[in-house]
Amino acid sequence: MPKVPTIDSPSPGSATEGQLVIRRPDDWHVHLRDGAMLRAVASYTAHQFGRAIVMPNLPVPVTRVQHAKDYRARILAALPADTTFEPLMTAYLTDTMDASELSSGFGEGVFTAAKLYPARATTNSQHGVTSIAAIEPVLETMQRIDMPLLIHGEVTSPEVDVFDREAVFVETVLQPLRQRFPALRIVLEHITTQEAADFVMAAGEGVAATITPHHLEINRNAMFDGGLRPHMYCLPTAKRERHRLALRAAATSGNPKFFLGTDSAPHEIGAKESDCGCAGIFNAPFALEAYAKVFAEENALDKLEGFASEFGPAFYRLPLNQEHVVLQRQGIDVPERLPADEGWVRPFHSGSTLPWRYRGLA
Ligand code: NCD
Ligand code: ZN
């Protein structure tokens, strides 16, 4: 039986009382970047999470086993030598990906999963997949060896409205893909719509989804709040309020098909605040605080542990973390900006106070 989180004195408005102890969480979708940015951001994720599924969309994508080994070594080199954080590496699927490269990487325990970026859907996806038909042999292999497929679920045709791209993907790409490969285990990443949540709920056991803190908190109006707000822009973009509410319901439902994936995606402030600014919200430094806020607002703090720490490992067939962490009901101020990559990054919730504070390992 999962350990039931303890919640002491959760009286609303109390500044210092109230503590939540949960099994140490994992982040099932993060962008750690490379070089100076990696060195600036890796410790935020390692501080809050036991493991993370690391996205492979580097400028030179992680398509080979050796790339993943080297990248993993760079991640660990960016962290203190005694870190207990475990980066779980992913392969970036291209039209020309060799199935044997994938299966040997998976067999060796280097690749935990493979990521499908539709070509040109998002940051560094220009080498992505142009059609499912192009990667059929790869998907057949993945289904056979039981290697999870992680999907950025958006169509890219310019005729499709940007706010419809996920729902159209679910209907026109994912449904047929699921029928063609019924035993392939799939994570639909960073879902943003009721349609995606409904698809995942209705699909069989092998289909799950990650949900970001920002999609639980903002709707599309946040991008236009009194002016253009580039720091609220990510892909898939936030949708209408009814979708945000559907995501909150899914995340706090206790349904093991929905689990934590921050999609923390740092870009230097100048790259966000620019003509053609980059997509991505940097939420790693206060990720658990952000999720705790949402679960508290939904009176569902008792559901946070399953979402953050249990359902992901169950899907990936990995052991649960043995450590526990403490969250305390005590306001924490999120800075306006943090140093990174010889410049600055803006964290999600910058300039505001979050009601729950992550205190570290129990
Ligand atoms: C991600 C990035 O910047 O790498 N951006 C984002 O808006 N989420 C890519 C992605 O996951 O789409
Ligand atoms: Zn992402």
Side-chain angles (χ1 to χ4, degrees):
M1 275 294 288
K3 187 176 165 293
V4 177
T6 51
I7 304 166
D8 308 321
S9 327
S11 55
S14 156
T16 53
E17 291 169 55
Q19 184 165 292
L20 179 64
V21 178
I22 60 170
R23 190 181 290 281
R24 189 179 188 194
D26 304 299
D27 183 352
W28 299 99
H29 180 129
V30 70
H31 301 269
L32 292 181
R33 309 303 193 206
D34 213 344
M37 184 64 94
L38 167 67
R39 289 190 289 277
V41 303
S43 60
Y44 293 117
T45 295
H47 178 58
Q48 296 219 334
F49 298 103
R51 294 166 288 200
I53 285 276
V54 181
M55 287 297 122
N57 64 330
L58 300 181
V60 177
V62 179
T63 53
R64 306 192 64 93
V65 182
Q66 192 58 46
H67 296 163
K69 284 184 183 166
D70 295 346
Y71 184 30
R72 188 174 185 281
R74 294 198 297 279
I75 293 167
L76 291 173
L79 294 168
D82 62 351
T83 187
T84 56
F85 173 73
E86 192 185 345
L88 302 172
M89 310 312 291
T90 56
Y92 181 119
L93 296 182
T94 64
D95 283 357
T96 54
M97 171 61 91
D98 182 13
S100 66
E101 183 78 10
L102 265 192
S103 56
S104 66
F106 185 64
E108 279 181 57
V110 178
F111 291 141
T112 298
K115 176 73 188 241
L116 164 51
Y117 287 106
R120 289 170 297 281
T122 187
T123 310
N124 294 337
S125 63
Q126 59 275 23
H127 306 286
V129 171
T130 60
S131 76
I132 296 298
I135 57 163
E136 288 233 340
V138 162
L139 297 178
E140 256 157 37
T141 299
M142 290 179 64
Q143 176 171 255
R144 180 169 47 76
I145 65 178
D146 201 22
M147 179 178 190
L149 175 69
L150 317 183
I151 300 183
H152 182 110
E154 288 191 286
V155 293
T156 52
S157 357
E159 314 81 69
V160 179
D161 188 281
V162 70
F163 295 105
D164 295 336
R165 286 182 186 178
E166 182 175 278
V168 171
F169 183 92
V170 168
E171 196 184 320
T172 63
V173 183
L174 196 49
Q175 303 265 23
L177 175 86
R178 177 81 183 139
Q179 274 158 20
R180 172 84 179 76
F181 300 98
L184 179 61
R185 285 189 310 127
I186 293 174
V187 184
L188 188 54
E189 303 273 39
H190 41 51
I191 60 169
T192 62
T193 57
Q194 170 99 58
E195 287 85 346
D198 287 348
F199 169 81
V200 170
M201 256 179 280
E205 246 196 22
V207 178
T210 54
I211 308 183
T212 76
H214 41 281
H215 290 114
L216 295 169
E217 277 246 57
I218 62 170
N219 64 32
R220 62 190 191 174
N221 293 327
M223 287 184 287
F224 311 102
D225 185 12
L228 200 53
R229 301 286 187 173
H231 297 285
M232 296 298 175
Y233 173 57
C234 66
L235 287 169
T237 184
K239 307 293 192 297
R240 286 177 179 276
E241 178 64 1
R242 74 178 174 86
H243 297 290
R244 185 183 76 101
L245 297 177
L247 299 176
R248 284 170 82 101
T252 59
S253 65
N255 184 334
K257 286 169 157 284
F258 300 99
F259 47 82
L260 186 158
T262 63
D263 195 19
S264 181
H267 294 277
E268 204 270 318
I269 285 184
K272 298 276 304 165
E273 297 174 4
S274 100
D275 186 28
C276 205
C278 295
I281 293 179
F282 176 51
N283 58 34
F286 302 93
L288 288 175
E289 286 88 341
Y291 282 113
K293 173 175 187 280
V294 169
F295 278 69
E297 286 166 357
E298 297 291 327
N299 286 318
L301 279 172
D302 60 327
K303 299 289 200 307
L304 182 61
E305 185 173 44
F307 176 81
S309 318
E310 293 172 349
F311 303 155
F315 181 87
Y316 279 92
R317 303 197 174 122
L318 291 170
L320 296 174
N321 292 326
Q322 287 309 301
E323 307 92 339
H324 287 76
V325 300
V326 180
L327 284 145
Q328 196 168 10
R329 181 192 288 277
Q330 184 186 42
I332 183 156
D333 297 332
V334 178
E336 288 288 346
R337 58 182 197 167
L338 293 163
D341 202 6
E342 291 150 18
W344 298 89
V345 283
R346 176 153 300 173
F348 185 45
H349 288 117
S350 61
S352 66
T353 302
L354 292 168
W356 284 82
R357 173 185 294 238
Y358 171 61
R359 300 243 65 138
L361 289 176

